[in-house]
Amino acid sequence: MAARSASAPSSAHPSSHQPLAERLRPRALGEVIGQQHVLGPGMPLRLAFESGRPHSCILWGPPGVGKTTIARLMADAFDAQFISISAVLGGVKDIREAVEQAQAARDGLMQQRTIVFVDEVHRFNKSQQDAFLPHVESGLFTFIGATTENPSFEVNSALLSRAAVYVLQPLSEEDLKRIVALAQAEQALPAIESVAIDRLVAYADGDARRLLNTLETLAMAAAQEKLTEITDAWLLKVLGERMRRYDKGGEQFYDTISALHKSVRGSDPDAALYWLVRMLDGGADPRYMARRLVRMAAEDIGLADPRALRLALDASEVYERLGSPEGELALAECVVYLAVAPKSNAVYKAYNAARAWVKQDGTRPVPMHLRNAPTQLMKELDYGKGYRYAHDEEGGFAAGENYLPEGMAEPGFYQPVERGLEIKIAQKMRDLRERNIAAADPDVQAPDTGV
């Protein structure tokens, strides 16, 4: 959830017996902390509030960024009945009951609008999602879905086409510090050392709900011990294993990922596994780890074993399907494979060399024989004239053809290594180069490569 602004007065007086997250829940749009890219003045969601006409939408973002809060505020703004359904616990029966309640509100004396909020909507299957369609189309209720998953893949296209998608972002460090200040202003917890606040903010990792729940735990523990200030040392003692062992974005985090990457590059599967587990145990997001493994496969293995990149992508997909802890085994399998695979950074070096070349070089024109000629005028201007179609040539290779801009020497960006599949790639490149030389000089005997 996104807490209300510390500077905005509360429109109600919540009980101190309520959970802290509920006590600090925004009660007006102006109290929301974060999400100003959609809620700020002139931004899409703010304009939707101000229009006076609710519309169906999907709120897509990680946990604890305000999806439920925004949906509730929308219901308040439009004086609408708010019906909440959890896709994790609910089913068709809940949808049917929501329809009945919406009909009763529409046909009642007050003729009230209805907003149906579905949390974790991606958990509903296709038929359950389809059950909303006729009622959304008829205008019986406004549908708001909340999801942590990409709606392009998890929400039916028919429902998605009838709803605007708003992407919510993790709260910034500054946003989270404002929430801590708000909790202190509400006298919900004692003073906190700045170092301890920084640690709490890093632990929350953009999730306001996690931060507020942690603050509530600390407040109760501090009250029992009659503390007047929460120190960093006490914070670590109380929360123990719940705290990250390194701050996300901090020096130790990047030192550890560096150790993992270098262990893979150094072909040490035991060390690579150790650093992977250290990061997961320390609270690193497995999705982040999966992305880094994909990068390692492309950068350090490349075409020496092209299967490595596919396996890294498969491991990432497996984790998305299984989650923790089952999906982490796929990451471990990938780490071991990457560590023992033959290594090559030839493509990585070639790409960087090509980038450096293009950056310092002028914009060379595309040779006429390589240009596209979709119109008669272009053909009359000799676009594509003289191009040799490789498939029609012997061995599927147009020996002697030039594919670089005129006057540009062979740059030699890509230099395959003598490891793994690149051994064969290097041999093929040598053979093709010899055929090009032979085509330029008829006295040179071209090799019989079979390509």
Side-chain angles (χ1 to χ4, degrees):
M1 59 160 285
R4 58 186 172 86
S5 168
S7 61
S10 172
S11 58
H13 299 283
S15 168
S16 60
H17 298 294
Q18 287 182 315
L20 182 59
E22 190 59 36
R23 288 163 59 190
L24 300 186
R25 186 182 294 278
R27 291 166 179 81
L29 196 61
E31 297 181 356
V32 176
I33 292 176
Q35 312 310 333
Q36 293 307 296
H37 64 292
V38 292
L39 291 176
M43 295 295 104
L45 201 46
R46 168 64 70 90
L47 294 176
F49 272 83
E50 295 173 348
S51 71
R53 297 188 299 275
H55 64 271
S56 295
C57 61
I58 303 290
L59 303 176
W60 173 27
V65 297
K67 297 187 288 293
T68 303
T69 293
I70 290 172
R72 289 183 179 277
L73 289 176
M74 192 174 291
D76 292 342
F78 300 120
D79 191 26
Q81 173 183 221
F82 184 79
I83 301 174
S84 179
I85 300 174
S86 170
V88 177
L89 304 174
V92 175
K93 177 176 178 291
D94 299 87
I95 299 173
R96 189 180 303 114
E97 290 177 355
V99 170
E100 292 172 355
Q101 292 178 51
Q103 290 172 335
R106 180 196 61 186
D107 301 335
L109 198 59
M110 302 298 292
Q111 294 186 338
Q112 190 179 27
R113 292 168 168 163
T114 297
I115 287 180
V116 176
F117 173 69
V118 181
D119 195 18
E120 302 293 340
V121 65
H122 61 275
R123 298 292 189 96
F124 271 158
N125 60 35
K126 184 179 185 301
S127 62
Q128 289 170 321
Q129 292 184 26
D130 283 345
F132 292 103
L133 285 175
H135 310 296
V136 171
E137 290 179 335
S138 70
L140 176 63
F141 55 70
T142 299
F143 172 86
I144 302 179
T147 179
T148 56
E149 304 295 332
N150 189 330
S152 299
F153 305 125
E154 304 294 343
V155 178
N156 289 358
S157 57
L159 186 58
L160 195 60
S161 68
R162 291 162 176 79
V165 176
Y166 297 105
V167 181
L168 307 186
Q169 304 294 341
L171 271 65
S172 69
E173 291 185 7
E174 189 60 35
D175 290 336
L176 294 172
K177 288 180 179 179
R178 288 175 62 195
I179 292 174
V180 175
L182 177 59
Q184 290 179 307
E186 293 280 332
Q187 299 183 335
L189 68 159
I192 309 178
E193 276 186 350
S194 60
V195 177
I197 292 177
D198 290 340
R199 189 180 297 278
L200 283 167
V201 166
Y203 171 70
D205 197 20
D207 185 333
R209 186 184 299 111
R210 177 190 284 185
L211 175 64
L212 288 167
N213 290 341
T214 304
L215 290 176
E216 192 161 35
T217 300
L218 291 174
M220 289 187 291
Q224 289 177 351
E225 297 189 24
K226 296 182 173 56
L227 296 180
T228 58
E229 183 182 42
I230 294 174
T231 65
D232 188 51
W234 183 82
L235 174 69
L236 286 171
K237 183 183 75 171
V238 171
L239 296 180
E241 287 299 315
R242 288 182 57 186
M243 298 299 294
R244 291 183 185 274
R245 295 186 182 177
Y246 46 80
D247 293 341
K248 181 179 179 182
E251 182 178 353
Q252 190 174 357
F253 179 90
Y254 289 109
D255 284 347
T256 311
I257 190 63
S258 175
L260 170 59
H261 197 150
K262 289 170 181 173
S263 298
V264 167
R265 184 182 295 147
S267 300
D268 189 331
D270 285 344
L273 269 176
Y274 170 77
W275 293 117
L276 171 72
V277 173
R278 271 280 302 272
M279 295 201 72
L280 293 174
D281 183 61
D285 185 351
R287 293 178 178 85
Y288 169 81
M289 302 305 301
R291 292 195 298 272
R292 291 305 299 252
L293 295 178
V294 172
R295 168 71 184 199
M296 293 174 203
E299 178 180 339
D300 291 295
I301 297 167
L303 292 179
D305 185 353
R307 295 170 298 184
L309 185 57
R310 181 64 261 173
L311 190 140
L313 291 169
D314 287 344
S316 178
E317 183 180 345
V318 168
Y319 179 80
E320 290 294 337
R321 287 180 177 271
L322 297 183
S324 295
E326 293 88 349
E328 291 167 3
L329 179 59
L331 302 183
E333 179 182 337
C334 179
V335 159
V336 171
Y337 187 93
L338 297 185
V340 301
K343 303 299 187 295
S344 171
N345 68 344
V347 173
Y348 176 67
K349 291 171 65 177
Y351 173 66
N352 287 335
R355 287 181 64 194
W357 177 281
V358 170
K359 187 174 182 180
Q360 60 83 32
D361 193 37
T363 304
R364 300 172 183 257
V366 176
M368 295 297 289
H369 70 287
L370 297 181
R371 297 188 185 187
N372 189 30
T375 69
Q376 184 60 38
L377 174 61
M378 290 178 170
K379 292 176 182 177
E380 292 173 358
L381 293 175
D382 291 339
Y383 278 45
K385 183 177 181 181
Y387 170 65
R388 295 165 60 191
Y389 189 57
H391 292 289
D392 292 339
E393 304 269 345
E394 180 182 355
F397 178 66
E401 181 67 293
N402 180 46
Y403 298 98
L404 290 168
E406 294 179 10
M408 180 175 170
E410 185 77 36
F413 296 138
Y414 178 51
Q415 300 293 329
V417 301
E418 293 296 321
R419 290 186 292 275
L421 181 64
E422 284 200 321
I423 295 174
K424 294 184 177 180
I425 293 175
Q427 181 58 52
K428 179 172 182 177
M429 289 180 64
R430 286 192 291 268
D431 293 342
L432 295 179
R433 192 173 293 113
E434 290 178 14
R435 290 189 62 181
N436 281 332
I437 293 172
D441 186 351
D443 294 331
V444 176
Q445 179 65 40
D448 183 11
T449 64
V451 296

